[in-house]
Amino acid sequence: MGVLFRKFHAYRCPANLKIVGLCALIAVFVIACAAMQAREEPPEVAVEPEPIPHPEPEPEPAPPTLKDSLEVEIATWRGFAGGAASITFDDGTWDQYALGAPVLEEYGVRGTFFIISHLIDRGVWDDGGTIRRLVSWDEAAELAEAGHEIGGHGATHADLSRSGADAEYELTESRRRIEEKLPDVDVVSMSWPYFRSTGEARTIAEDVYIAARGGAAIPDQFRSIHETNPSSAAPPDLYNVNAIGVRPVDPPEEWIELAEALYADGGWAVVTLHGIDDGSLGRPRIGWQPIRPIDLAAIIEGLQSRDIWIAPFGEVAAYIRHRESAEVELEALDEHEVSVAISGDKRANRVDIPLTLRLSARDEVGAIPIELVGGLAADLPSGSDLVVEVTPDSEPLIIRAAGEVATGR
């Protein structure tokens, strides 16, 4: 710009023209500068101020519901008994029907009679040279109608621990024949002839029955088996449940001691007997190692003097199966009502046996009164809680809060 000015000043022309030209030159310079500034500095853009954040209001806590406070406890034994017991008879000899069953019924006890299915039609059994009279099918039906369990004891009483024994035939045919002759009976359990079995035989039994009884006839043998296969609340092998054999040569104190030990551990005392004799029965011979009816009565009285649930072998086994596989599902119907569904072992559904449940509700203040308003269940004396008996996989229970469900009532 300075060079142009000097050249313009040296140019010879009238002064007034020089002034006009100088003004024009200055104007061009100003316009050029403004244009350069416009290119270098973009126009200012109005910026909106950032909004001031406001915290979202916290949602109101959901009101407490009965479901939040409800607790369900499954009893180890039915009725929250301190232990369980079953009285079983092997072979199905006639003396068990004539002398044993009346004693059970006198005390209101239901037992289990394991019968030899394919020998009953003969009426007698050649037990190693000893002829024993067996119950008839009509007499077995009477036992079942009285509430006793009829179980399998093999088709022919073969020793299934021996090589070559046909366990498949003995176990499956035994159940088939009994259910054919006794249409109202579902055979769910069995006992091993001579108390003996093998792993292979027990595997076959799993496809036919829900449980099988083993055991020993001699107290010391029972104790030895109990060390590895205890008669606990959950036996390690339901297809070889240990049992106490009662014989006339053993003093009553022997079995009482064993039963007491099982009760102290909350276990399952399975008592097994064979013959019953009061001196009035003639030949053919009665069952093996017979005890007197008065001794059977003493066994029952000893069990009933304790907090023990006495039931047939298959029922106790079914209860254990249900208890060990039970699942409880709670669904809130509203703030004050809950649906309680119980599932169990599908195979054990062959036995009509309920589980005993204790339902209780607590909040921060204390117990919430609850009541049963729907479902197939039996109420039991329960104090402040609700104790019910419900069959697994049956209609759900509906539990209602009888008072307010709240924190800090």
Side-chain angles (χ1 to χ4, degrees):
M1 184 66 186
V3 173
L4 292 175
F5 180 79
R6 286 193 297 272
K7 287 184 177 182
F8 179 79
H9 182 72
Y11 186 75
R12 293 182 178 181
C13 66
N16 58 342
L17 289 177
K18 286 185 178 182
I19 293 173
V20 172
L22 180 60
C23 290
L25 186 60
I26 293 172
V28 170
F29 175 76
V30 171
I31 293 172
C33 290
M36 291 178 62
Q37 186 176 5
R39 286 196 301 270
E40 292 175 357
E41 300 180 5
E44 294 185 359
V45 178
V47 178
E48 293 289 336
E50 294 185 5
I52 300 175
H54 295 283
E56 291 290 333
E58 293 185 4
E60 291 290 332
T65 67
L66 178 59
K67 179 185 175 183
D68 300 327
S69 306
L70 190 65
E71 296 180 355
V72 181
E73 177 188 0
I74 301 175
T76 300
W77 297 119
R78 190 173 181 184
F80 284 95
S86 298
I87 298 177
T88 69
F89 298 84
D90 279 7
D91 303 333
T93 53
W94 185 75
D95 49 298
Q96 297 169 3
Y97 162 80
L99 299 177
V103 175
L104 296 181
E105 290 159 17
E106 178 184 351
Y107 286 90
V109 171
R110 295 177 299 119
T112 299
F113 294 82
F114 294 115
I115 63 178
I116 310 169
S117 60
H118 284 46
L119 301 184
I120 289 181
D121 290 332
R122 302 179 187 178
V124 294
W125 168 39
D126 184 353
D127 181 17
T130 299
I131 303 302
R132 306 190 190 281
R133 180 180 175 182
L134 301 177
V135 297
S136 68
W137 287 115
D138 286 342
E139 290 163 345
E142 287 182 36
L143 292 173
E145 290 171 2
H148 303 294
E149 178 186 10
I150 304 297
H153 196 45
T156 66
H157 202 271
D159 185 346
L160 299 180
S161 68
R162 292 185 175 181
S163 176
D166 191 348
E168 182 79 35
Y169 172 83
E170 288 287 330
L171 301 183
T172 58
E173 281 299 301
S174 175
R175 176 185 172 187
R176 185 198 64 77
R177 174 66 66 86
I178 296 172
E179 293 181 349
E180 175 187 54
K181 294 292 186 177
L182 305 175
D184 295 331
V185 171
D186 186 356
V187 180
V188 299
S189 71
M190 63 155 293
S191 67
W192 298 106
Y194 307 104
F195 300 99
R196 296 192 286 265
S197 64
T198 64
E200 180 182 0
R202 292 193 292 274
T203 298
I204 294 171
E206 291 178 10
D207 294 330
V208 186
Y209 306 97
I210 68 169
R213 201 217 67 212
I218 300 173
D220 286 344
Q221 291 178 347
F222 171 84
R223 292 186 181 94
S224 177
I225 295 171
H226 185 71
E227 292 179 0
T228 56
N229 184 21
S231 298
S232 61
D237 188 353
L238 270 176
Y239 289 91
N240 194 23
V241 177
N242 198 11
I244 305 169
V246 177
R247 307 177 301 169
V249 296
D250 301 317
E253 293 78 17
E254 194 81 57
W255 69 261
I256 291 174
E257 175 191 337
L258 296 175
E260 287 284 357
L262 293 178
Y263 171 72
D265 292 337
W268 180 16
V270 182
V271 178
T272 179
L273 307 99
H274 288 75
I276 304 291
D277 185 17
D278 65 353
S280 66
L281 302 182
R283 296 180 181 274
R285 290 289 301 277
I286 52 184
W288 178 75
Q289 290 286 325
I291 66 172
R292 300 173 301 169
I294 192 173
D295 296 326
L296 175 57
I299 293 173
I300 297 173
E301 289 175 357
L303 295 173
Q304 290 185 332
S305 68
R306 300 290 184 269
D307 179 24
I308 293 178
W309 170 43
I310 306 175
F313 180 85
E315 288 189 13
V316 179
Y319 190 96
I320 293 172
R321 280 185 168 275
H322 278 318
R323 185 196 67 213
E324 293 300 298
S325 61
E327 294 184 0
V328 180
E329 183 177 349
L330 304 180
E331 179 184 356
L333 303 180
D334 58 32
E335 293 181 16
H336 305 288
E337 287 192 353
V338 177
S339 169
V340 182
I342 308 292
S343 63
D345 188 315
K346 299 296 184 184
R347 295 187 63 192
N349 285 341
R350 293 167 57 187
V351 181
D352 184 17
I353 184 71
L355 288 174
T356 303
L357 310 178
R358 177 182 284 117
L359 307 172
S360 59
R362 303 284 187 275
D363 59 19
E364 295 180 358
V365 176
I368 301 171
I370 55 177
E371 58 187 0
L372 178 68
V373 295
L376 301 175
D379 289 299
L380 300 176
S382 57
S384 60
D385 298 329
L386 182 64
V387 176
V388 298
E389 292 198 317
V390 56
T391 302
D393 301 305
S394 64
E395 181 182 350
L397 308 179
I398 307 300
I399 309 301
R400 175 189 297 157
E404 289 296 324
V405 182
T407 55
R409 286 178 300 174

